[in-house]
Amino acid sequence: MGEGLGYVLPVKKTGFANMAIQSEMTDPDQAYTSLAVLAYFCQFYINIQCNKKYISMVEFSKYKVLNMESKSQDWELEKLTVKTLLRSRLQTAMERANMPETALKLDEIPLNRSQNSLGVVYISAIALKLAKVCQQTPQAIATQLAETLQSMCHRDFAVTVAPSAIIEFEFTPPALAWWLQRLAQTPIPVTQSRIISPVLSADRLFPLQYSHARCCSLVRMANRDQLIAIGQPDVATTPQIWSLTAPNPLPWIDNEQLRLIHPAESNLISQLLTVLDSLAFVFGECNQERAIDYFKLANSLSTAFQTFYSQCRIWGEIKKENLKLAQARLGLVLATQSLLRFILEELLNAVAPLEL
């Protein structure tokens, strides 16, 4: 997750590491949890005995997801929508706490993002909804659920209970960096069924297309100036995702904190989260009845990007004096381009141009 993952470090199989590697053969979930915690604190490459090769923490999470049968689904950041992820965990916590399974369906679990926090915080009033059904006080229910959730979320969310019995999930900087890296580097899955959207005029589409083209231009300029390396910088048509080769992962983290702390950076990250959470139905992650205004979502993202680009420089002094910050900001450009392209081409049936 951190910058240490860019290097291969020798590790002795002693103590905690040895326990994790040995347990890999009999208990994949226990091994994965141990290795996740160990990699988070030590930021190193580990030798996985079962396949005899060195892999990074990000690669190991993919190995876990793709190749292991598991009872536990605690590590689910492969989901695009954070809202769906947290609802799923809340539902699991309800089951483990022996609460009525029919008390709340997945889509009925209250969950929103807090607007009064410097970090990325989601809040849930689920305990207030369950109080009558479970015949307990909201605070007792919230505390019981939080105890279960803390063990499920310790790698990616800090879970706390407010005096009002509201459960709070704060994205940890390493986990938020992992999510941003995935969005910047992994293609958004194409919808299985074609979504019919109203035809929009060229005038309305132009701001979205301009922002997308600007993102593409910045990526190619960054490759030319060697801020980042792109595998195929001279493509003729818009790629589903730019092939980032270096640095990989991007340097999102500095001393266990996200580098991107400027208000315009935070707002753009917030818009990325909002757009993806709103598209949970499109990805088949939830049942959705209300209509979604795809243009409004894309327009808000485009506006946030334009503000970010006008206030957060990448070249000039930033490039010379703080290259890693410039590269992290380019990560936001990559993530924005990927999401704008998806909405334009897949949801609005419009062209996502490389340049204008």
Side-chain angles (χ1 to χ4, degrees), residues 229-345:
I230 299 296
Q232 295 178 320
D234 300 320
V235 291
T237 58
T238 301
Q240 189 175 9
I241 199 79
W242 288 96
S243 178
L244 176 68
T245 58
N248 192 2
L250 289 158
W252 306 99
I253 298 293
D254 180 26
N255 293 326
E256 300 302 324
Q257 296 299 319
L258 202 67
R259 292 182 188 277
L260 306 170
I261 58 175
H262 188 283
E265 295 167 336
S266 300
N267 183 53
L268 180 54
I269 292 172
S270 176
Q271 286 300 318
L272 290 168
L273 285 161
T274 296
V275 171
L276 282 173
D277 282 343
S278 300
L279 297 180
F281 168 71
V282 174
F283 304 130
E285 294 185 355
C286 74
N287 296 321
Q288 185 90 31
E289 293 183 359
R290 65 181 180 86
I292 302 174
D293 191 335
Y294 303 124
F295 171 78
K296 183 178 180 180
L297 286 175
N299 193 50
S300 296
L301 179 59
S302 173
T303 301
F305 168 74
Q306 291 297 336
T307 302
F308 156 78
Y309 181 61
S310 67
Q311 297 182 9
C312 302
R313 300 301 180 190
I314 297 174
W315 277 263
E317 292 183 2
I318 296 296
K319 175 189 173 185
K320 294 178 182 178
E321 299 177 5
N322 198 341
L323 176 60
K324 290 183 178 180
L325 176 58
Q327 291 171 331
R329 286 176 172 174
L330 284 165
L332 285 186
V333 173
L334 285 163
T336 302
Q337 181 273 329
S338 173
L339 196 45
L340 280 176
R341 183 212 63 81
F342 177 83
I343 297 176
L344 281 167
E345 293 187 349

Side-chain angles (χ1 to χ4, degrees), residues 96-212:
R96 293 181 181 180
N98 296 320
M99 294 182 181
E101 295 183 6
T102 58
L104 287 175
K105 296 179 181 178
L106 184 65
D107 298 341
E108 296 173 343
I109 295 176
L111 189 70
N112 295 288
R113 206 163 73 250
S114 172
Q115 303 300 321
N116 301 316
S117 175
L118 295 176
V120 177
V121 178
Y122 285 77
I123 57 175
S124 176
I126 186 173
L128 302 178
K129 278 205 164 189
L130 290 173
K132 291 183 179 180
V133 177
C134 299
Q135 297 182 344
Q136 299 181 49
T137 65
Q139 193 69 29
I141 295 173
T143 300
Q144 185 179 10
L145 290 176
E147 290 176 355
T148 302
L149 289 163
Q150 283 168 355
S151 63
M152 296 167 58
C153 300
H154 66 90
R155 293 186 295 271
D156 40 20
F157 294 95
V159 183
T160 57
V161 178
S164 58
I166 299 296
I167 301 176
E168 300 180 350
F169 302 85
E170 182 172 8
F171 231 144
T172 64
L176 181 56
W178 193 96
W179 182 82
L180 289 169
Q181 179 72 24
R182 184 187 188 281
L183 183 58
Q185 194 179 20
T186 307
I188 298 175
V190 178
T191 56
Q192 294 182 354
S193 58
R194 194 68 182 175
I195 297 174
I196 301 176
S197 298
V199 177
L200 299 175
S201 66
D203 290 343
R204 297 189 73 192
L205 286 171
F206 180 79
L208 314 183
Q209 293 173 321
Y210 174 80
S211 291
H212 179 272

Side-chain angles (χ1 to χ4, degrees), residues 68-86:
M68 288 186 180
E69 293 283 337
S70 170
K71 297 178 183 178
S72 172
Q73 296 298 324
D74 288 349
W75 183 256
E76 295 182 15
L77 279 181
E78 69 275 7
K79 287 185 182 294
L80 279 173
T81 60
V82 179
K83 212 167 186 179
T84 303
L85 164 66
L86 289 176

